[in-house]
Structure formats: structure tokens, C-alpha cells
Amino acid sequence: MCGIFGCIMKKGNAAPVIHASLKRLEYRGYDSVGIATLTNGEITIKKDQGKIDDVHKLVNLDDMAGNIGIGHTRWATHGAPLKVNAHPHVDCTGKIAVVHNGIIENYNELRNELENAGHQFVSKTDTEVVPHLIEEAFKKNPAWTLTEAVIDTIKKLCGSYALAVISTKEPEKILCARNESPLILGIGKDASYCASDLTAFLPMTNKAVLINDGELVTLTPGKYEIKRIQDGSKVVREPKVIDWSPEMAVKTGYPHFMIKEIHEQPATLRNTLRAQEHYLDLISTFLDRATEVYLVACGTSYHACLAASYMFSKLAFLPTYPVYASEFVEQHGKSVNIDSTILAVSQSGETADTLGAVTCSQQRAATILGLTNTVGSTLTRVSRVYIGQQSGPEIGVAATKTFTSQLSVLAQLALRLSTKRGKVSQDEMDYLAEKLETIPQVVETIILTQEEKVKALAKKYKDAKIFFFLGRGINTATAFEGRLKLMEIAYMPAIAFPAGESKHGPISLIEPGFPVVFICPKDGVTHKTLIGNIQEMKARGASIISIIEEDDEEVKAMSDDYIEIPKGIPEVISPIPFIIPLQLLAYYMAIERGINPDMPRNLAKSVTVK
Ligand code: F6R
């Protein structure tokens, strides 16, 4: 997730406006920043790694001439957060500049073709192919307009993008386009803006035009023209007047970051599923060769590891050991060795306990692999290979969207490894890969259809003394994560166990009305045994809250309350959809109990002490 901004004004300098607008987009990414302006037939660029304020101190982002320009605040996906990778990117001649938010999946092929045609690349980004493709289009068709060259380019791109382009060839306009990354226009009296979200331009204008996938926009001062990329047909869309306060705008209308990030999951999962093939391949090769594999993490990331241990075992027949990072050195510090492989999972890439386990393992010559949301973090620097999960910055203290992204990368890895090892039939692999692709849509449906029901649940159970979460198999991890969310965000005491363990002690806590949440997917062998566990709890007067598939009449009939998930989810990826209602439950429970879910007491987003 990055932030893009473009501005074209009748008069005055665009740079200070772009700078101030990028500040408002900084929540979308903050590892590097850059601005390009256009004046007197020349493009000027200032960019560097670091936060906007730090870069501004170094280069003065306001001091750039030109009434037209584009800017970018970056959250690295391809290429480390370095000056050379910061946007805007330009073609060989420096006459075309581009900012981009999204992921261009086929950039490797495009880059190879362009390099063979003589284009010089300077960065490691996927974005850089765009200005070169536009340049190439002009080379082949010198009479083309900028619009024609940009349309030709866009038709070659696979993946997601919100793009803004300026060129000295037609210096009086900005072109922008969208596919699966947000893009919105702001229309003022004598100026027009394009941005990743309306927060960026709200202080200048409250007239906004939403851009849809497959649309190209030409911006001139105070005016805009929208076309469909596919057939060039014109789209007529009037601006809407937005009456959000600036504070609401930062959260795109949501009252808290946590609920915003829960709602972002269909989009973040789509992004994550585009994770770089090359790195998935590399990591699965390392895992295939490994003698012993530890999955090391803290908190929510540990729960992703726990789920992953079932995925690797079921799909690739690879035993892996999930370990709390804070326990790793004590438990395995003496035995870890050159034959060990550590897959460290950390959203921030800076968690002290996780890095401690990594350092200890490195000293004993183990292989370190990483999965993180923060390219450029310590974990990416100490890993032999790492995958950036591409969820964008997570501002709410509770990990939500980053958890489901971790699960989807880990599922992709398990599928890769399974293919390599030939342990599961091709038909089953294809089926699972297809099902994984549908998960963003499934998550969208759950949020759309179940949120009100979860809200009502939170009202009903807000004064409970304690909550109990039970799941079996891979959904033991979902139960653990549901408990953690409810405890940390709503301060609700909660316990979680593999359902089979409940009768070995915890069941003695049960009193009439005691809420017990069962995570109950229908696929797999755990369903039958879980029904037995529900009966045990029901017989003792517990209130049964079940998370079930929509046609699970048997469990429905036994439940006091239930939340429904679309049917047909393979068990091995079920934690991704099944955690969504539990994230919502924690959020609405916090609201019911008068707690700010974005600022849980005693917690920090990144725990950099042991
Ligand atoms: C819970 C939560 C924490 C983190 C944990 C590890 O909502 O966010 O439990 O998961 O502190 O953080 P990372 O993944 O950054 O290593």
C-alpha cells in the first residue's frame, strides 16, 4: 500500500500542495517519498528514502517550480526502501514520470523485453516498467498522443495499479488510471487532484469523483475527462460532495483504524495473493531441503505459524514446529544447528523476541527465512530469503489484516511445497489453489452479511465474566487468535483450547450461560468430534456461539447463536475466513464496553523489548 497524489492548477506552484497532501497520505506508507513537477518543458524530481519530514528537511520538497506535478509516499513491495527505488520513476529520457500504487505482476517479463530493446533501468521496482513502456509506445508510434501511449501501456500490465503520469510531450495534463488500487479525483475551481484517497485533497475541495477499475482520466485545472480503457468510450460521472471531517477522512469514514483494517481485508488478501512467485519458489525450495523447520513468532504471528504447521503437514507432508519466539532460545537454543531452518514470521519485522531467536539461530549456522509486512525491517536484512506480505501499514494495534495475509502467504507456500514434493494429487492442488483465489470474495461476503449479527452478539454478551474459545485441528489457531483479540481489545477475560483438551480440565469452569465459541468448519474430520464437544458444553448449560458454514443445520440447531461463513471452504485454509467474525466480535465488544479499540492499554504496535 502506497499513497499517490497528482495536482494540476491554473496558477501557483504544485509542489507545496503535493507535499502537504502526501503528509495526509503518510499512513499508507512512509519508507520513502518523492515529487515530480513539470515546468518549461522539463521534469524536476526530488525523492529519497525516509519519512516525509526528514526528506523535506534534506531537499525542501516545497521548492520546486511548476503548476503540475505528481507525488508518492511509499511502502516498499518490490525493491528495498532506498532512494533509487523511491517514486516517481522516469523513462530513459526523463520526459515521462510516473507514480504507482499496486503491484505489476508481469513486470519481470516486461522489463526483460524493454531491456532487450535497449531501455536502461535504475531501480528494482515493478513501477519502472511503466514510463519505459510509454516511451517505447512513442518510439514505435511518434504521432500518438499521451493518452494513446498510456492506454497502449496499460493494456500490457497485469496486476493492480493506481497510476499518475506526467510528460513534457503534453505538459498541460495529468493522466491517471486504476485497476484494483484506489483512485479518487478532487475537483476544485481552478485545480484538479488525483489521489489514493480523499484525505489528501479534502482541505482544498470536497468535490470528489470515484474512479472505477478499467478507467483512464485526463486531468486539467478544474476539469476531468473519464474514459474506459478497453474501448475508449466516454464515462459521464458527476462529482459528489463529501461532508467528512478531516479526522473521519484519515480513517476513510470508519470510526477506528481497527474496523477500517478489518474491512480492508478483501483488498489486502487480493494483494497478498499476488505475492512474488519467485520468492515463494525460493522459500519453498529451502523448506524442501530442510531437515528440521521451526516456525518462530510472537502473538498473532505465532497463531499464523501454528496454523501453518497444519498446512505444511497436510499438504506437503513436512513436519514443522511452531515456537513462541520468546521461548525459542530456552527451548531450542542449544539444539538448533546448521541443519535447522527458521521461518520467522513478524508483521513489523522488528519484534525483539523474534529477532532474538533469529540471532541465536544464525550464530549456530541455521538458515533464516522471513515473512514480514515491512520490507527494509531488520528481519528482511537478516533473512537469507524473505517474502513481503504486502498488506500495507497496519495502524490499529491489533493485528487483523496482517494476520489473514500471513495465513494466505503460508498457504501459498504449503501449496508450492506440496507441488515440489508431489505428495498431493494435481486435482486436489488445483482445487485448493482455486479456492484460495476465492478467499477475498468470501471474506467480503462475511463482512457484508454477518457484521450486524456480530454487533448484536457483542451487545448480548458484553457483560460476560469470561469467554471460552474452542476449535480443533488447524482451527485451534483460530480459537487462540479469537481469544487474543477479545482479551487485548475488549479487556474480556478469555481462554482457548483445542476442543479435545477442554474435558481435561477447563470444562470445570463452565456455569450456566457461560459463552463458549466453537470454530466449526464442515470440511475435514474435526466436524464430527466437535459436535461431541458442543454437546458436552451444552449439557453443562453453556451458551453456544458457533461459527459455522451456512448449511450446517446440525450445529445450527445446537447453538444459541451462530455466525455463518459461505459453504465449501477447504479446512486447510479455513482459518482465513473463520477469524473474520472473531475480529469483528473483539471490535464490537470493545465498543460496547466503552473501550477505544485503537489504543488498548499497555500495548504497542511493535514490541522491541524482550
Ligand atoms: C496482537 C498483536 C501482537 C503481535 C505481536 C508480534 O493483535 O498484534 O500479538 O502479533 O506483537 O508482532 P510482529 O508480528 O510485528 O512480530
PDB file of all heavy atoms in Angstrom, residues 1 28 75 268 347 373 389-394 401-402:
ATOM      1  N   MET A   1       0.845  -1.195   0.000  1.00  0.00           N
ATOM      2  CA  MET A   1       0.000   0.000   0.000  1.00  0.00           C
ATOM      3  C   MET A   1       0.878   1.242   0.000  1.00  0.00           C
ATOM      4  O   MET A   1       1.682   1.433   0.904  1.00  0.00           O
ATOM      5  CB  MET A   1      -0.847  -0.021   1.275  1.00  0.00           C
ATOM      6  CG  MET A   1      -1.984   0.946   1.259  1.00  0.00           C
ATOM      7  SD  MET A   1      -3.268   0.484   2.429  1.00  0.00           S
ATOM      8  CE  MET A   1      -2.872   1.490   3.828  1.00  0.00           C
ATOM      9  N   ARG A  28      -0.424   5.554   4.616  1.00  0.00           N
ATOM     10  CA  ARG A  28      -0.424   4.462   3.636  1.00  0.00           C
ATOM     11  C   ARG A  28       0.974   3.899   3.379  1.00  0.00           C
ATOM     12  O   ARG A  28       1.132   2.857   2.739  1.00  0.00           O
ATOM     13  CB  ARG A  28      -0.998   4.954   2.301  1.00  0.00           C
ATOM     14  CG  ARG A  28      -2.452   5.361   2.382  1.00  0.00           C
ATOM     15  CD  ARG A  28      -2.951   5.796   1.027  1.00  0.00           C
ATOM     16  NE  ARG A  28      -2.912   4.717   0.054  1.00  0.00           N
ATOM     17  CZ  ARG A  28      -3.863   3.811  -0.110  1.00  0.00           C
ATOM     18  NH1 ARG A  28      -4.945   3.858   0.616  1.00  0.00           N
ATOM     19  NH2 ARG A  28      -3.742   2.862  -1.015  1.00  0.00           N
ATOM     20  N   TRP A  75       5.442   2.392   0.515  1.00  0.00           N
ATOM     21  CA  TRP A  75       5.522   1.244   1.420  1.00  0.00           C
ATOM     22  C   TRP A  75       6.080   0.127   0.553  1.00  0.00           C
ATOM     23  O   TRP A  75       5.392  -0.425  -0.282  1.00  0.00           O
ATOM     24  CB  TRP A  75       4.129   0.896   1.946  1.00  0.00           C
ATOM     25  CG  TRP A  75       4.095  -0.217   2.930  1.00  0.00           C
ATOM     26  CD1 TRP A  75       3.705  -1.505   2.718  1.00  0.00           C
ATOM     27  CD2 TRP A  75       4.439  -0.139   4.305  1.00  0.00           C
ATOM     28  NE1 TRP A  75       3.803  -2.216   3.877  1.00  0.00           N
ATOM     29  CE2 TRP A  75       4.241  -1.424   4.859  1.00  0.00           C
ATOM     30  CE3 TRP A  75       4.909   0.883   5.136  1.00  0.00           C
ATOM     31  CZ2 TRP A  75       4.496  -1.702   6.204  1.00  0.00           C
ATOM     32  CZ3 TRP A  75       5.151   0.596   6.465  1.00  0.00           C
ATOM     33  CH2 TRP A  75       4.950  -0.677   6.988  1.00  0.00           C
ATOM     34  N   THR A 268      -6.630  -6.428   0.810  1.00  0.00           N
ATOM     35  CA  THR A 268      -5.254  -6.805   1.170  1.00  0.00           C
ATOM     36  C   THR A 268      -4.990  -8.264   0.798  1.00  0.00           C
ATOM     37  O   THR A 268      -3.893  -8.608   0.357  1.00  0.00           O
ATOM     38  CB  THR A 268      -4.967  -6.587   2.678  1.00  0.00           C
ATOM     39  OG1 THR A 268      -6.005  -7.185   3.437  1.00  0.00           O
ATOM     40  CG2 THR A 268      -4.867  -5.128   3.018  1.00  0.00           C
ATOM     41  N   GLN A 347       5.028  -9.303  11.497  1.00  0.00           N
ATOM     42  CA  GLN A 347       4.417  -8.198  10.755  1.00  0.00           C
ATOM     43  C   GLN A 347       5.389  -7.035  10.670  1.00  0.00           C
ATOM     44  O   GLN A 347       5.675  -6.523   9.604  1.00  0.00           O
ATOM     45  CB  GLN A 347       3.114  -7.800  11.472  1.00  0.00           C
ATOM     46  CG  GLN A 347       2.288  -6.723  10.823  1.00  0.00           C
ATOM     47  CD  GLN A 347       2.816  -5.311  10.981  1.00  0.00           C
ATOM     48  OE1 GLN A 347       2.978  -4.615   9.972  1.00  0.00           O
ATOM     49  NE2 GLN A 347       3.117  -4.879  12.180  1.00  0.00           N
ATOM     50  N   ASN A 373       5.654  -7.893   6.933  1.00  0.00           N
ATOM     51  CA  ASN A 373       4.907  -6.857   6.204  1.00  0.00           C
ATOM     52  C   ASN A 373       5.777  -5.631   5.976  1.00  0.00           C
ATOM     53  O   ASN A 373       5.338  -4.680   5.364  1.00  0.00           O
ATOM     54  CB  ASN A 373       3.668  -6.478   7.032  1.00  0.00           C
ATOM     55  CG  ASN A 373       2.702  -5.619   6.273  1.00  0.00           C
ATOM     56  OD1 ASN A 373       2.581  -5.773   5.048  1.00  0.00           O
ATOM     57  ND2 ASN A 373       2.039  -4.714   6.949  1.00  0.00           N
ATOM     58  N   GLN A 389       4.662  -9.485   2.727  1.00  0.00           N
ATOM     59  CA  GLN A 389       3.278  -9.975   2.594  1.00  0.00           C
ATOM     60  C   GLN A 389       2.328  -8.955   1.969  1.00  0.00           C
ATOM     61  O   GLN A 389       1.191  -9.279   1.640  1.00  0.00           O
ATOM     62  CB  GLN A 389       2.745 -10.430   3.947  1.00  0.00           C
ATOM     63  CG  GLN A 389       2.698  -9.310   4.988  1.00  0.00           C
ATOM     64  CD  GLN A 389       2.209  -9.813   6.317  1.00  0.00           C
ATOM     65  OE1 GLN A 389       2.934 -10.478   7.033  1.00  0.00           O
ATOM     66  NE2 GLN A 389       0.974  -9.492   6.660  1.00  0.00           N
ATOM     67  N   GLN A 390       2.748  -7.697   1.863  1.00  0.00           N
ATOM     68  CA  GLN A 390       2.030  -6.684   1.095  1.00  0.00           C
ATOM     69  C   GLN A 390       0.630  -6.373   1.600  1.00  0.00           C
ATOM     70  O   GLN A 390      -0.314  -6.281   0.831  1.00  0.00           O
ATOM     71  CB  GLN A 390       2.001  -7.086  -0.380  1.00  0.00           C
ATOM     72  CG  GLN A 390       3.408  -7.283  -0.877  1.00  0.00           C
ATOM     73  CD  GLN A 390       3.523  -7.794  -2.275  1.00  0.00           C
ATOM     74  OE1 GLN A 390       2.537  -8.128  -2.890  1.00  0.00           O
ATOM     75  NE2 GLN A 390       4.728  -7.857  -2.787  1.00  0.00           N
ATOM     76  N   SER A 391       0.528  -6.207   2.922  1.00  0.00           N
ATOM     77  CA  SER A 391      -0.777  -5.819   3.479  1.00  0.00           C
ATOM     78  C   SER A 391      -0.901  -4.315   3.629  1.00  0.00           C
ATOM     79  O   SER A 391      -1.967  -3.824   3.992  1.00  0.00           O
ATOM     80  CB  SER A 391      -0.978  -6.434   4.862  1.00  0.00           C
ATOM     81  OG  SER A 391      -0.460  -7.724   4.946  1.00  0.00           O
ATOM     82  N   GLY A 392       0.178  -3.573   3.422  1.00  0.00           N
ATOM     83  CA  GLY A 392       0.140  -2.136   3.693  1.00  0.00           C
ATOM     84  C   GLY A 392       0.264  -1.887   5.181  1.00  0.00           C
ATOM     85  O   GLY A 392       0.102  -2.809   5.980  1.00  0.00           O
ATOM     86  N   PRO A 393       0.552  -0.629   5.584  1.00  0.00           N
ATOM     87  CA  PRO A 393       0.741  -0.362   7.010  1.00  0.00           C
ATOM     88  C   PRO A 393      -0.519  -0.696   7.807  1.00  0.00           C
ATOM     89  O   PRO A 393      -1.624  -0.430   7.350  1.00  0.00           O
ATOM     90  CB  PRO A 393       0.996   1.142   7.082  1.00  0.00           C
ATOM     91  CG  PRO A 393       1.270   1.577   5.708  1.00  0.00           C
ATOM     92  CD  PRO A 393       0.711   0.579   4.765  1.00  0.00           C
ATOM     93  N   GLU A 394      -0.307  -1.262   8.975  1.00  0.00           N
ATOM     94  CA  GLU A 394      -1.428  -1.550   9.868  1.00  0.00           C
ATOM     95  C   GLU A 394      -1.275  -0.599  11.045  1.00  0.00           C
ATOM     96  O   GLU A 394      -0.260  -0.625  11.738  1.00  0.00           O
ATOM     97  CB  GLU A 394      -1.352  -3.006  10.324  1.00  0.00           C
ATOM     98  CG  GLU A 394      -2.550  -3.487  11.083  1.00  0.00           C
ATOM     99  CD  GLU A 394      -2.459  -4.995  11.294  1.00  0.00           C
ATOM    100  OE1 GLU A 394      -1.500  -5.437  11.968  1.00  0.00           O
ATOM    101  OE2 GLU A 394      -3.317  -5.717  10.793  1.00  0.00           O
ATOM    102  N   LYS A 401      -5.669  -7.418   9.470  1.00  0.00           N
ATOM    103  CA  LYS A 401      -5.430  -7.711   8.054  1.00  0.00           C
ATOM    104  C   LYS A 401      -4.072  -8.381   7.849  1.00  0.00           C
ATOM    105  O   LYS A 401      -3.895  -9.153   6.911  1.00  0.00           O
ATOM    106  CB  LYS A 401      -5.545  -6.434   7.215  1.00  0.00           C
ATOM    107  CG  LYS A 401      -4.533  -5.352   7.532  1.00  0.00           C
ATOM    108  CD  LYS A 401      -4.654  -4.195   6.551  1.00  0.00           C
ATOM    109  CE  LYS A 401      -3.613  -3.127   6.835  1.00  0.00           C
ATOM    110  NZ  LYS A 401      -3.540  -2.114   5.791  1.00  0.00           N
ATOM    111  N   THR A 402      -3.130  -8.099   8.736  1.00  0.00           N
ATOM    112  CA  THR A 402      -1.811  -8.713   8.525  1.00  0.00           C
ATOM    113  C   THR A 402      -1.846 -10.198   8.886  1.00  0.00           C
ATOM    114  O   THR A 402      -1.084 -10.988   8.337  1.00  0.00           O
ATOM    115  CB  THR A 402      -0.716  -7.989   9.330  1.00  0.00           C
ATOM    116  OG1 THR A 402      -1.108  -7.937  10.696  1.00  0.00           O
ATOM    117  CG2 THR A 402      -0.494  -6.588   8.804  1.00  0.00           C
TER     118      THR A 402
END
